Amino acid sequence: MKIQRVVSDAKGRSDAVSFNGLAYVVAYDPNAASGIEAQTRNSLQFLDAKLAEVRSNKEALLQATVYLSDMKMKADMDEIWCEWIGASKNWPQRACVGADLGDDVTLIEIVVIAVQKPEAL
C-alpha cells in the first residue's frame, strides 16, 4: 500500500496522511477568524474538505483531539462541534486539551483519525 499525503501550505508538514485504510487529518482555521465560534466553524469546514481529499468524512471518524488555546472557550466550541457532528452514530472518541498553539491568533486545532471509504470498484 502507498502512503498518500496532502501537503500543507505550512513548511514541513501535511494536512492529511492516509495509509492502510486510515486517514490522519489536522484542521485549523486558515482564515484565523475572530472568536472561537468562527474559528471552530472554519476549522470544521477545513476538516470536511481534507477528509474528502483522503476519501473519508465525519461519519467515519474514530478519534478526535481538539486543542484549545483557552479551555474557557470549550462550551462555545462544543456547541458548534455538536451541530456539526450530528447524530450519536457519528460521534468519535474525543478529547479536548488546553494548549499553547504558538501565537495569539490561533484558538483551535483539531486532529482526527478516520476510516477511508473503499476505492470505487
Side-chain angles (χ1 to χ4, degrees):
M1 290 197 134
K2 184 178 168 187
I3 297 173
Q4 176 189 359
R5 299 179 197 280
V6 178
V7 177
S8 175
D9 291 337
K11 188 175 180 179
R13 66 182 186 183
S14 294
D15 288 330
V17 175
S18 62
F19 178 75
N20 202 23
L22 293 177
Y24 306 83
V25 182
V26 61
Y28 50 89
D29 179 359
N31 304 316
S34 179
I36 190 61
E37 294 90 350
Q39 281 203 21
T40 301
R41 281 190 181 89
N42 291 345
S43 296
L44 293 171
Q45 183 178 20
F46 185 89
L47 180 58
D48 282 332
K50 295 303 171 182
L51 285 167
E53 285 188 60
V54 290
R55 299 183 343 269
S56 192
N57 58 36
K58 67 183 175 186
E59 289 83 15
L61 291 178
L62 298 175
Q63 183 179 42
T65 305
V66 178
Y67 297 93
L68 293 174
S69 65
D70 185 343
M71 288 299 287
K72 292 175 186 163
M73 298 182 289
K74 185 178 180 294
D76 293 329
M77 180 280 303
D78 270 336
E79 188 173 326
I80 307 304
W81 171 276
C82 289
E83 289 172 12
W84 174 78
I85 197 65
S88 61
K89 67 180 183 169
N90 299 336
W91 295 357
Q93 176 276 320
R94 192 193 91 178
C96 193
V97 180
D100 180 349
L101 297 176
D103 59 45
D104 294 334
V105 178
T106 305
L107 303 178
I108 184 171
E109 283 193 8
I110 305 167
V111 178
V112 302
I113 301 171
V115 176
Q116 290 182 286
K117 295 176 185 177
E119 295 276 355
L121 300 176

